[in-house]
Amino acid sequence: MAASVASSLSLSLWSGSHRLRPYKPKPSSLSFSLSHQYQYQYQYQYQYQTLRSLRCRCTPPEAEEAEEAEDEAEDEANDDQEEASPLPPMFSGPLFDWPDETPEEVAKGYERLYGPAFSGHSHLGGNIYHMDAVLNKLIDEFDNLIVTKPVDDFEERVVQVRRVTKVVKGGKNLSFRAIVVVGDKKGHVGVGVGKALEVSEAVVKAVINGRRNIVTVPLTKHLTFPHRATGKFRAAEVMLRPAAPGSGVIAGGAVRAVLELAGLQNALGKQLGSDNALNNARATIVATQQMRHLADVARDRGIPMEELWK
């Protein structure tokens, strides 16, 4: 019993001799979540409750009353101090109070990092990087990627679209082949072929190929051939004959498409060999290239045109 009383007295004396002082942490520039006064208050309450729970019930009431009175006096003093100086807000603005920058200083800083602005005006001097030229170049490249139909007098007529197969080691590759005749009905015509996985793409390729192979067909004032001609292309053979005014185009298949887009209104055409549309169209082109005007023949021979009729 004496030992317990002695231990309680020693504990009470130790707690009385070592007064509780608020914990003062080192100031840090990054601790903005709570003010220092809040930290002191929470640390003080934690220490006080911990030591109070360790006290024994045998503590003399006089010492306990005196300590409680001192604690109340300290609390009142702290309350008065808090009322006198209100606590600052949790976060009151930037970490550093920088001076205001002028727009020119901001523009110079931006130019150091990213270069001049879109206007091309430089605040630092030196070479000015114009963005307008770059944008115009990009726009031109983008416009070139868009496939647009050229504005001219040429007309297009699809003669045939077939599904073709290419046999490879792994199997068969299916695609489409289009035959297109392009002409302006003024003596210029061309035949083009295109292959693609889609029909529309094959037709576009065929039109481009036909425009690259434009030939000139000789015509008379009655819009017919100047003389007879026969053209051969591989197994196909086409016979062309002039016709009287009002006869019209008497032909069929690919031959008719080529003659009409070439501008002929009175002509006769006959397929003598294969019925392949591509070969017949190209045979028609070969036959038209064999024809010549009387004036051209007379000029090449160096004689007047009347001599040709003798």
Side-chain angles (χ1 to χ4, degrees), residues 147-159:
V147 179
T148 57
K149 184 178 179 180
V151 180
D152 51 20
D153 297 334
F154 283 88
E155 298 182 8
E156 306 163 3
R157 183 177 301 181
V158 179
V159 175

Side-chain angles (χ1 to χ4, degrees), residues 54 69 82 84 95 110 143 152 177 284 291-292 298 302:
L54 295 176
E82 290 178 359
L95 302 180
Y110 180 87
D143 292 340
D152 51 20
R177 185 193 71 175
T284 306
M291 299 180 183
R292 304 176 66 186

Side-chain angles (χ1 to χ4, degrees), residues 38-210:
Y38 278 122
Q39 294 179 1
Y40 301 157
Q41 181 179 357
Y42 294 157
Q43 190 68 22
Y44 179 83
Q45 292 179 359
Y46 177 75
Q47 293 180 357
Y48 177 77
Q49 293 177 0
T50 304
L51 295 177
R52 187 177 180 84
S53 63
L54 295 176
R55 292 180 180 177
C56 183
R57 295 181 180 179
C58 299
T59 305
E62 295 80 5
E64 186 175 356
E65 292 176 0
E67 291 177 359
E68 291 179 357
E70 292 178 359
D71 295 339
E72 291 178 359
E74 290 180 0
D75 293 340
E76 291 177 359
N78 293 333
D79 294 340
D80 296 339
Q81 185 177 2
E82 290 178 359
E83 293 178 358
S85 59
L87 295 176
M90 300 297 292
F91 183 78
S92 59
L95 302 180
F96 304 99
D97 189 10
W98 294 103
D100 296 336
E101 295 182 353
T102 61
E104 293 183 358
E105 293 177 353
V106 174
K108 290 180 180 179
Y110 180 87
E111 187 174 350
R112 291 190 187 97
L113 294 176
Y114 306 105
F118 175 78
S119 61
H121 180 68
S122 175
H123 295 272
L124 299 178
N127 296 328
I128 298 177
Y129 185 75
H130 292 281
M131 293 296 295
D132 294 340
V134 178
L135 289 176
N136 292 334
K137 182 178 179 181
L138 293 176
I139 292 173
D140 293 341
E141 292 179 356
F142 182 75
D143 292 340
N144 293 334
L145 295 177
I146 302 176
V147 179
T148 57
K149 184 178 179 180
V151 180
D152 51 20
D153 297 334
F154 283 88
E155 298 182 8
E156 306 163 3
R157 183 177 301 181
V158 179
V159 175
Q160 186 184 67
V161 177
R162 293 182 59 184
R163 189 177 68 174
V164 295
T165 305
K166 179 181 179 181
V167 180
V168 295
K169 183 178 180 181
K172 297 181 180 180
N173 294 337
L174 301 178
S175 60
F176 293 93
R177 185 193 71 175
I179 304 173
V180 178
V181 178
V182 181
D184 60 351
K185 295 184 178 181
K186 296 179 182 179
H188 301 90
V189 67
V191 178
V193 183
K195 296 180 183 179
L197 299 179
E198 300 291 338
V199 175
S200 58
E201 296 180 3
V203 171
V204 170
K205 289 183 179 180
V207 170
I208 295 174
N209 183 254

Side-chain angles (χ1 to χ4, degrees), residues 16-31:
S17 62
H18 295 77
R19 286 297 176 183
L20 297 176
R21 296 182 178 86
Y23 172 72
K24 296 182 179 180
K26 294 182 179 180
S28 175
S29 61
L30 299 178
S31 60

